[in-house]
Amino acid sequence: MKASVTTKYYSVDLNLLIDEFPEHRSANISGEKALQSLNKWTDEFVSEEYQELREVLDGFIFCIDIENDSIDHIESCLEFVGRIRQKLSNNDENDWSGFLAIVGTTTSSVPTHESILEQVEDAVISNGLEFIDLQQNGENEFREKIGTDRLVELIETHEWTHMDLVSVNYQTNKTNRAKEMTKGLLDVEEE
């Protein structure tokens, strides 16, 4: 998916991969068969044939169905996501400048049980990934953004290597303010 992001500081065009497995929640794939299909998809994605796609990818959002998937299934999916992350990072050289997030979604408007969310979040965090629950919005008790607000924040605050500054004046003002702040107090009094 191509996306354009513009903030008051920069604009950037992004190539994002947003995926969930199975592709359609109504598909009759579950359990071991679903994991075999995901393994096949992962093998294809990490193959040399997909090198060009991986090179232009700026972000990867993997969606999980926290309403219907078991914690064991989610943990298995995270193993496949780990293989993808390793390939994106060029086998641990960490030269990929993109982001990767696990997004919990549901088709129901009924909130997911808190203990299930904690298990999913623990599993995702223990794999060194960001977990975002789309059922939530606003801020948590620590005043951190959650839900869609967190996803937007993640994208807007990422340090993109190919962003265009909105205004050259912004960079000039920033540089001038930094110079003023480094002047000694005695230098200011002498002027």
Side-chain angles (χ1 to χ4, degrees), residues 113-170:
H113 194 273
E114 192 68 31
S115 67
I116 294 171
L117 282 176
E118 288 175 7
Q119 288 177 343
V120 171
E121 187 171 19
D122 288 346
V124 172
I125 290 172
S126 69
N127 282 281
L129 300 167
E130 170 106 22
F131 176 68
I132 300 169
D133 178 12
L134 286 188
Q135 284 183 295
Q136 301 176 357
N137 348 334
E139 295 180 344
N140 64 13
E141 66 271 15
F142 305 110
R143 304 193 50 78
E144 299 167 331
K145 292 183 179 179
I146 56 176
T148 53
D149 294 334
R150 174 60 187 139
L151 187 57
V152 169
E153 180 183 56
L154 177 66
I155 293 170
E156 288 182 346
T157 59
H158 190 79
E159 292 188 30
W160 301 110
T161 56
H162 56 286
M163 63 182 162
D164 297 320
L165 292 177
V166 170
S167 170
V168 175
N169 292 334
Y170 166 75

Side-chain angles (χ1 to χ4, degrees), residues 7-74:
T7 69
K8 65 181 183 178
Y9 304 109
Y10 70 87
S11 64
V12 64
D13 290 327
L14 303 174
N15 293 307
L16 303 176
L17 176 61
I18 303 171
D19 211 345
E20 176 179 15
F21 204 86
E23 188 174 330
H24 301 289
R25 291 190 178 184
S26 61
N28 273 340
I29 298 178
S30 62
E32 193 62 35
K33 188 173 183 180
L35 292 177
Q36 288 172 353
S37 296
L38 180 57
N39 185 40
K40 182 181 177 193
W41 179 86
T42 303
D43 287 343
E44 290 173 2
F45 187 82
V46 300
S47 70
E48 290 305 313
E49 187 177 332
Y50 283 74
Q51 178 66 29
E52 190 174 322
L53 170 68
R54 290 191 308 270
E55 287 175 359
V56 298
L57 201 57
D58 297 310
F60 179 44
I61 299 171
F62 190 80
C63 301
I64 55 175
D65 183 354
I66 55 179
E67 179 182 34
N68 297 311
D69 291 341
S70 71
I71 190 68
D72 291 335
H73 179 79
I74 291 170

